[in-house]
Amino acid sequence: MKLLSVVLLLLPLSLCLAEVVNDFTQSCPGFFATPNDVVSPPTGFTGDRFKRICQTLKNEAEFATFYDTTYRIPIYSAYSFTGLKKCVRTDKWYIEPQLENGKLGPNMDTESAVRKEVVDIVNQSVNADYAESRYDRGHLAPVFHAASQSCSDATFTLTNAAPQNPSFNRGQWRRTESHMADSLKNYCINVGLRAFVVTGVVPGPDTLKKQGRVRIPSHFWTAFCCLDNNNISKHSGAYIGENDHDRPVYPRSVKDMDIELTELYSKQFHNIPGFRFTLFSGKCYTETEPMEKQLVVKSAKSVNQSNIEL
Ligand SMILES: *[C@@H]1O[C@H](CO)[C@@H](O)[C@H](O)[C@H]1NC(C)=O
Ligand SMILES: *[C@@H]1O[C@H](CO)[C@@H](O)[C@H](O)[C@H]1NC(C)=O
């Protein structure tokens, strides 16, 4: 009996070392909200082109990404938010070796290192796709929300990035991340709730460069679910904005966001039977949003125009 429980305890740890995985709820459940005790990743997308990545650096899983190998951008990244840690930006970019060859190691690695093992990198974006494209490598799981320095370092993988309009990235989206961090701190962490975030994009019709390999998102969105110690959802919400020159970002309830994203995704993905997208498996519907009825982040805070990618 004792031996069995030791084995059971060790099992999840060893599974965490696989990078491209079959099931988030088995391999890296810690990055997803657990409303009503159920590990609840977003639902809706099916098919071989989509891969689940437990984003691993130095043998530690730091967050999770659901990746589209055809459009070569993530659909979403999921993480737990524990407060602002003031991490240093490394700007050392990685890619995912296991998207090219399942036998390669569990850790994200630099493109040049992967090229020593793989002749053609076909299932993900590479640095050249973004070079001179006039788009930022926009982070989904943001550096700014990272739970530790190593987590911050791990956000610099192209599998966590999608082409983002630079003024949107450094303007409205940046302010949304900042506003969200404040409200997660005040309404979740400071009152003893645990905060889970999913951030994603909707692919648009265009690609980086003409007939390029990488789709440009039409929208960026983000959603959060805060749970109490009994796994009851107490607070949730979402934001969405168009990926264009400093377009506004709008607040939504999780329920409305599920409906809107289902419509938006249906326009780009025609052949997924019975497609219905849900952010937290449809379980974090709360109508308790004291704050942001009017967010639409229109504050006049100065925008740092230095060459950064959020
Ligand atoms: C919350 O749900 C997770 C996932 O099922 C479980 O591991 C944890 O024990 C639950 N917490 C409580 C207090 O039931
Ligand atoms: C990469 O994509 C190719 C072409 O779609 C596919 O045949 C191959 O299995 C993929 N590699 C991995 C490791 O998923």
Side-chain angles (χ1 to χ4, degrees):
M1 190 59 202
K2 234 185 194 146
L3 185 64
L4 182 65
S5 48
V6 169
V7 169
L8 287 177
L9 274 174
L10 290 175
L11 200 58
L13 288 176
S14 55
L15 287 174
C16 269
L17 289 182
E19 273 265 75
V20 174
V21 302
N22 290 325
D23 184 350
F24 280 143
T25 70
Q26 299 298 314
S27 298
C28 47
F31 307 119
F32 297 93
T34 55
N36 313 331
D37 301 335
V38 181
V39 183
S40 299
T43 59
F45 286 98
T46 55
D48 241 15
R49 66 189 275 182
F50 304 107
K51 303 293 179 194
R52 293 169 182 79
I53 307 173
C54 295
Q55 297 280 13
T56 304
L57 179 63
K58 298 184 179 141
N59 294 326
E60 290 287 338
E62 304 287 1
F63 61 99
T65 296
F66 190 78
Y67 194 77
D68 180 351
T69 59
T70 302
Y71 289 166
R72 301 187 182 89
I73 49 174
I75 297 289
Y76 66 78
S77 287
Y79 56 98
S80 99
F81 178 79
T82 55
L84 295 180
K85 304 287 155 65
K86 299 206 164 75
C87 298
V88 178
R89 302 176 62 88
T90 48
D91 283 281
K92 178 182 178 187
W93 284 89
Y94 299 100
I95 63 170
E96 176 48 55
Q98 290 190 346
L99 283 182
E100 308 304 325
N101 179 345
K103 297 197 183 86
L104 295 177
N107 289 299
M108 58 182 72
D109 211 339
T110 59
E111 184 184 330
S112 55
V114 176
R115 285 199 186 278
K116 288 181 187 141
E117 313 283 337
V118 178
V119 183
D120 282 326
I121 296 177
V122 295
N123 297 327
Q124 61 194 307
S125 69
V126 296
N127 291 298
D129 291 314
Y130 285 87
E132 287 149 39
S133 71
R134 280 180 282 134
Y135 278 85
D136 282 351
R137 291 166 288 189
H139 282 74
L140 271 60
V143 183
F144 182 58
H145 289 185
S148 64
Q149 185 61 47
S150 49
C151 180
S152 159
D153 296 350
T155 65
F156 287 89
T157 171
L158 290 176
T159 58
N160 179 47
Q164 192 169 24
N165 180 291
S167 37
F168 180 65
N169 186 20
R170 298 159 202 197
Q172 298 287 351
W173 196 248
R174 177 196 180 94
R175 289 196 280 277
T176 302
E177 286 175 352
S178 166
H179 172 89
M180 200 163 122
D182 287 346
S183 71
L184 290 178
K185 182 162 163 270
N186 294 331
Y187 297 103
C188 298
I189 293 169
N190 287 357
V191 295
L193 306 178
R194 288 162 299 137
F196 295 90
V197 181
V198 183
T199 300
V201 302
V202 179
D206 300 327
T207 60
L208 284 182
K209 304 169 184 173
K210 277 213 172 73
Q211 285 151 21
R213 303 165 72 247
V214 177
R215 280 291 174 118
I216 299 169
S218 59
H219 298 75
F220 276 67
W221 54 260
T222 184
F224 61 89
C225 173
C226 296
L227 302 172
D228 71 8
N229 286 332
N230 296 315
N231 284 329
I232 306 297
S233 168
K234 292 291 187 188
H235 184 51
S236 64
Y239 303 97
I240 185 164
E242 281 178 63
N243 183 27
D244 206 347
H245 186 81
D246 222 11
R247 296 297 296 265
V249 172
Y250 298 100
R252 297 277 189 266
S253 69
V254 168
K255 197 171 213 165
D256 287 346
M257 192 83 265
D258 279 357
I259 295 166
E260 190 168 339
L261 286 174
T262 298
E263 282 171 10
L264 289 168
Y265 281 129
S266 298
K267 288 181 192 151
Q268 289 302 324
F269 299 95
H270 305 291
N271 40 17
I272 301 177
F275 181 78
R276 180 174 161 248
F277 186 74
T278 67
L279 287 159
F280 301 102
S281 306
K283 295 198 196 71
C284 280
Y285 298 152
T286 54
E287 301 304 330
T288 57
E289 279 150 81
M291 63 262 198
E292 34 236 319
K293 285 291 167 247
Q294 76 335 345
L295 166 71
V296 196
V297 212
K298 59 187 163 215
S299 90
K301 262 186 236 159
S302 70
V303 176
N304 183 344
Q305 286 294 351
S306 66
N307 186 25
I308 51 164
E309 289 140 350
L310 298 167

